[in-house]
């Protein structure tokens, strides 16, 4: 059992309740799901201590549901809802424009239960004939179903990582394992993960396979062999384990970390020297030149050791040859967090609680960015509230020693305006602006908003949601000009389904912008996700001096406002 699995069930309950017009409860189930995902320990342990209800955002009803799931593997309310609507609600609502109400009507009119059936119904023109739907809706479903399917098949890095860390911690304590490391896309910190690959050394491979396939979280064992097994976790994620010999450890790490195209570059380089590189080692005829460690493999190929995040065939092999690899930004370099939400809008924590969590993370400062008045769903503060927010921020600052800057996440309107006056913007320490709706040309809207108003940071620029909302296409050359003129920095957002601006675009334009990395936390626990955004910054080759929130708060404000 793991936290992600229960969170998924709670999320599904939320959608199923929404299908029936139930108010409030769906939001409570979603919040509870987020809190479970953020726990740093198995929910069973919390329950053992009798502290389920003590988790912020988990009330009596949901605590009882969680206990039922832990004991019986099922929640009665969930079963009843599923009996009534036996649909894959989470997958279906991932299709852009398909909400709970649409799922309900498609099920009642056409019996659609999953993505395959939805696609078939749309291809055959049956969706358009359902009352209130029409050709345009049907076409939109067809346009977006591919993305939803991908979202169904690949897991977000931010969801996979805690599972992987849990598995690796657990297995590394077993005697059978001498070493165990995540490889593949997880180690490269790709935004999404098809399957998880683990590499291990084991004195007794048989015992290692027993331990692996016998893990608590295993839903089923996909395959089992002497040196390789695959399992599927309850949370739906496939995990492969390979056991290799000590003298192949380094070459196997290189091979299974990938990416495939990085491996191809390395193999060609070996071939140019008349050698052979594979997962077993680097060989000249039968002689082993390297293989025990990764450093040894790269060194034998006259390369500096390449950080896993860079192994994407983006020029890293040439840079390693010339000893010009970037000195990548790390978590230690980060001084503060530049986007977060509190109870003043849709966040789950008070200003004080956010500052306390930031203090624990060792941050010198935080920038509060509750949503502006436009996003009514988030119930953001009004301009009149700024004085009160400032007073609260000062008290939190005194209590925690963390500098608390007061800002806003202003919404960029469809016409390229902001949902807050320029006068109010100037009263704030910094202004973060972002798009939340699709309308017109995104580049034009952003350029106008930052060109005409006192904006300091452009947040989640493409507004993508991995697995369910396509990114806005942006003319980044144009935006680079405007941002340089106006002194506006661009955000790399660390929310697991955003990771926006996407790292390939950051990499291509890394010289053109000043960058910030922010968590966009909606609870104190989410401040701990900085590493996800940083991993994307590293994939884009960013160094500490490229990232503004590696500096003192005064310098950050001066740089953006000066
Ligand atoms: P994923 O699972 O889709 O998120 O992406 P990866 O990169 O984890 O890919 P996966 O699981 O298919 O394979 C793990 C690594 O193993 C991959 O990054 C490179 C290596 N690998 C797998 N198949 C091949 C292959 O056919 N050729 C080469 N050169 N490397 C391979
Ligand atoms: Ca993989
Ligand atoms: Ca794999
Ligand atoms: Zn936002």
């Amino acid at each position: 059992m793991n936290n992600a699995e229960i969170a998924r069930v709670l999320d599904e309950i939320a959608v199923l309740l929404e299908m029936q017009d139930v108010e409030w409860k769906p939001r409570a189930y979603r919040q509870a799901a987020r809190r479970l995902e953020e726990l740093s320990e198995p929910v069973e342990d919390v329950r053992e201590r009798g502290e389920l209800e003590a988790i912020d955002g988990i009330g009596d009803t949901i605590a009882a549901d969680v206990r039922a799931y832990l004991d019986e593997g099922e929640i009665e309310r969930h079963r009843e809802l599923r009996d009534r609507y036996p649909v894959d609600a989470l997958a279906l609502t991932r299709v852009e424009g398909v909400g709970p109400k649409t799922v309900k009507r498609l099920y009642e009119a056409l019996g659609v239960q999953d993505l395959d059936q939805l696609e078939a119904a749309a291809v055959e023109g049956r969706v358009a004939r359902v009352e209130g739907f029409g050709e345009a809706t049907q076409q939109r479903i067809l346009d977006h179903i591919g993305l939803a399917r991908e979202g169904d098949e690949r897991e977000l890095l931010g969801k996979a990582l805690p599972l992987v860390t849990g598995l690796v911690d657990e297995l590394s304590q077993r005697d059978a394992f001498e070493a165990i490391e995540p490889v593949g896309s997880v180690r490269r910190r790709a935004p999404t993960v098809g399957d998880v690959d683990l590499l291990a050394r084991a004195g007794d491979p048989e015992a290692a396979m027993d331990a692996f396939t016998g893990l608590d979280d295993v839903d089923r064992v996909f395959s089992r062999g002497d040196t390789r097994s695959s399992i599927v976790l309850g949370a739906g994620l496939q995990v492969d384990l390979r056991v290799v010999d000590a003298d192949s450890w380094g070459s196997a790490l290189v091979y299974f970390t990938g990416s495939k195209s990085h491996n191809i570059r390395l193999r060609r380089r070996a071939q140019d020297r008349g050698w052979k590189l594979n997962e077993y080692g680097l060989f000249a005829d039968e002689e082993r030149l390297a293989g025990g460690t990764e450093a040894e493999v790269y060194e034998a190929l006259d390369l500096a050791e390449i950080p896993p995040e860079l192994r994407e065939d983006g020029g890293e092999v040439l840079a390693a040859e010339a000893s010009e690899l970037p000195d990548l930004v790390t978590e230690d370099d980060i001084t503060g967090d530049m986007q977060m939400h509190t109870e003043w809008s849709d966040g789950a924590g008070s200003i004080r609680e956010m500052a306390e969590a930031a203090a624990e993370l060792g941050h010198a400062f935080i920038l509060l960015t509750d949503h502006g008045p436009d996003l009514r769903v988030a119930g953001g503060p009004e301009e009149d509230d700024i004085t009160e927010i400032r007073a609260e921020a000062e008290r939190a600052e005194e209590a925690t020693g963390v500098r608390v800057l007061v800002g806003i996440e202003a919404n960029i309107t469809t016409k390229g305006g902001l949902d807050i006056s320029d006068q109010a913007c100037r009263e704030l320490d910094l202004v973060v602006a972002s798009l939340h709706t699709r309308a017109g040309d995104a580049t034009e809207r952003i350029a106008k908003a930052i060109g005409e108003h006192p904006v300091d940071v452009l947040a989640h620029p493409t507004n993508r949601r991995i697995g369910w909302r396509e990114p806005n296409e942006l003319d980044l050359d144009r935006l680079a000009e405007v941002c340089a003129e106006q002194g506006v920095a661009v955000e790399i957002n660390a929310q697991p389904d955003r990771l926006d601006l996407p790292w390939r675009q950051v990499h291509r334009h890394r010289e053109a912008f000043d960058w910030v990395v922010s968590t966009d936390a909606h609870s104190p626990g989410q401040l701990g996700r900085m590493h996800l955004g940083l991993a994307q910054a590293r994939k884009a080759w960013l160094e500490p001096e490229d990232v503004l929130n590696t500096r003192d708060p005064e310098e950050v404000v001066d740089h953006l406002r000066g």
Side-chain angles (χ1 to χ4, degrees):
M1 184 75 51
N2 56 56
N3 302 351
E5 180 180 345
I6 307 184
R8 206 182 140 82
V9 175
L10 299 184
D11 275 328
E12 188 164 291
I13 291 176
V15 181
L16 290 165
L17 287 170
E18 277 168 343
M19 286 168 63
Q20 311 202 36
D21 274 324
V22 177
E23 288 184 43
W24 297 113
K25 275 188 197 154
R27 200 185 143 107
Y29 273 94
R30 278 214 180 85
Q31 275 203 2
R34 300 291 79 74
R35 296 297 88 75
L36 286 184
E37 282 172 359
E38 289 161 25
L39 288 181
S40 51
E41 59 181 335
V43 65
E44 282 109 318
D45 295 356
V46 180
R47 186 251 178 110
E48 294 278 298
R49 295 198 304 274
E51 290 174 1
L52 270 184
E53 282 90 347
I55 301 174
D56 222 10
I58 297 195
D60 293 350
T61 314
I62 297 182
D65 284 350
V66 170
R67 270 191 288 272
Y69 196 80
L70 290 172
D71 293 337
E72 291 145 35
E74 181 172 71
I75 299 170
E76 196 179 330
R77 180 198 294 277
H78 184 234
R79 195 190 54 231
E80 286 168 6
L81 288 163
R82 289 270 318 196
D83 284 349
R84 181 129 180 240
Y85 292 107
V87 297
D88 187 351
L90 291 179
L92 288 167
T93 49
R94 221 178 262 129
V95 180
E96 190 168 342
V98 174
K101 294 288 147 48
T102 310
V103 172
K104 181 177 170 195
R105 291 176 49 207
L106 288 170
Y107 174 69
E108 285 171 349
L110 304 171
V112 165
Q113 290 175 291
D114 57 30
L115 288 175
D116 288 341
Q117 292 173 355
L118 177 61
E119 181 163 30
V123 167
E124 291 159 15
R126 286 184 282 132
V127 172
R129 293 199 293 272
V130 176
E131 203 192 317
F133 277 59
E135 293 289 340
T137 309
Q138 177 168 285
Q139 189 55 47
R140 201 178 56 216
I141 288 173
L142 284 171
D143 289 345
H144 294 295
I145 205 160
L147 186 69
R149 201 184 291 283
E150 215 179 282
D152 212 33
E153 284 161 7
R154 298 185 64 84
E155 188 58 277
L156 297 173
L157 176 67
K159 292 208 174 181
L161 262 183
L163 299 176
V164 175
T165 310
L167 292 184
V168 168
D169 282 353
E170 160 122 39
L171 291 175
S172 55
Q173 285 165 25
R174 310 286 181 90
D175 291 339
F177 288 90
E178 290 163 6
I180 177 162
E181 292 282 348
V183 285
S185 48
V186 170
R187 186 161 180 241
R188 299 196 313 277
R189 299 293 191 264
T192 65
V193 168
D195 68 1
V196 173
D197 303 282
L198 301 177
L199 193 67
R201 278 181 284 144
D204 180 356
E206 177 83 20
M209 291 303 163
D210 284 342
F212 178 62
T213 55
L215 282 166
D216 278 351
D217 290 352
V218 173
D219 183 54
R220 67 202 154 92
V221 177
F222 207 64
S223 65
R224 182 187 161 129
D226 297 336
T227 58
R228 179 178 171 181
S229 296
S230 288
I231 58 172
V232 179
L233 299 179
L237 193 61
Q238 184 180 324
V239 185
D240 297 346
L241 172 72
R242 290 183 187 78
V243 174
V244 300
D245 294 336
D247 47 7
S248 296
W249 176 246
S251 46
L253 276 174
V254 171
Y255 183 89
F256 291 111
T257 297
S259 65
K260 272 176 201 165
S261 44
H262 174 81
N263 288 353
I264 288 168
R265 294 254 171 223
L266 295 183
R267 250 196 334 264
R268 283 211 197 113
R269 200 171 166 88
Q271 280 160 3
D272 288 347
R273 290 162 168 71
W275 303 337
K276 195 175 80 184
L277 175 66
N278 56 31
E279 61 266 52
Y280 302 106
L282 178 66
F283 301 93
D285 295 321
E286 294 308 301
E287 188 200 350
R288 177 190 294 273
L289 301 175
T293 67
E294 276 191 322
E296 194 182 294
V297 174
Y298 283 105
E299 200 192 324
L301 292 169
D302 286 321
L303 295 173
E305 194 175 349
I306 300 174
E309 295 96 326
L310 298 193
R311 301 183 194 173
E312 297 286 1
D313 192 17
E316 72 279 10
V317 175
L318 283 178
E321 178 177 51
S323 301
E324 280 170 3
L325 285 171
D327 174 19
L328 296 178
V329 60
T330 69
E331 246 186 306
D332 287 343
D333 296 316
I334 293 297
T335 49
D337 196 328
M338 299 199 45
Q339 191 186 165
M340 68 194 60
H341 302 262
T342 73
E343 285 163 352
W344 277 99
S345 64
D346 57 348
S350 64
I351 292 177
R352 171 76 179 263
E353 286 166 332
M354 297 305 274
E356 281 167 356
E360 268 183 44
L361 293 166
H363 289 337
F365 77 97
I366 54 176
L367 172 64
L368 305 174
T369 57
D370 276 300
H371 291 286
D374 253 13
L375 289 195
R376 271 191 305 118
V377 38
E382 305 287 332
E383 290 182 12
D384 295 348
D385 295 323
I386 292 174
T387 318
E388 199 178 324
I389 293 176
R390 269 224 185 274
E392 223 182 295
E394 274 165 28
R395 287 196 295 276
E397 194 169 284
E398 277 163 27
T400 60
V402 173
R403 177 97 176 83
V404 182
L405 301 173
V406 178
I408 193 167
E409 182 185 5
N411 185 40
I412 298 176
T413 65
T414 50
K415 297 204 173 76
L418 296 182
D419 62 340
I420 169 172
S421 70
D422 289 356
Q423 172 61 28
C425 283
R426 290 195 188 94
E427 283 170 26
L428 295 163
D429 293 315
L430 290 172
V431 173
V432 172
S434 62
L435 293 176
H436 294 89
T437 48
R438 208 184 273 285
D441 181 80
T443 304
E444 287 307 318
R445 283 167 68 194
I446 293 173
K448 190 161 188 299
I450 64 184
E452 295 177 4
H453 303 283
V455 170
D456 302 297
V457 177
L458 170 64
H460 53 73
T462 76
N463 203 28
R464 75 166 172 176
R465 289 300 189 92
I466 300 170
W468 58 279
R469 189 164 67 210
E470 300 280 2
N472 284 318
E473 275 179 38
L474 297 174
D475 178 349
L476 288 174
D477 293 324
R478 164 98 197 281
L479 289 183
E481 275 172 35
V482 187
C483 283
E485 267 165 32
Q486 304 291 329
V488 171
V490 171
E491 177 188 77
I492 300 172
N493 184 296
Q495 285 288 315
D497 65 346
R498 286 198 186 271
L499 302 182
D500 183 11
L501 197 65
W503 70 265
R504 284 182 200 279
Q505 282 161 283
V506 178
H507 181 59
R508 222 173 293 135
H509 298 271
R510 64 189 183 281
E511 314 278 357
F513 294 98
D514 288 328
W515 302 99
V516 305
V517 184
S518 323
T519 62
D520 195 359
H522 282 67
S523 70
Q526 289 182 4
L527 289 171
R529 288 177 173 166
M530 183 61 80
H531 68 99
L532 284 176
L534 270 176
Q536 305 308 302
R538 289 166 62 86
K539 290 189 79 60
W541 297 45
L542 296 194
E543 303 190 331
E545 50 270 36
D546 301 322
V547 179
L548 280 180
N549 50 322
T550 58
R551 309 187 191 176
D552 295 337
E554 290 71 27
E555 270 183 79
V556 175
V557 174
D558 275 359
H559 184 90
L560 290 169
R561 280 278 163 107

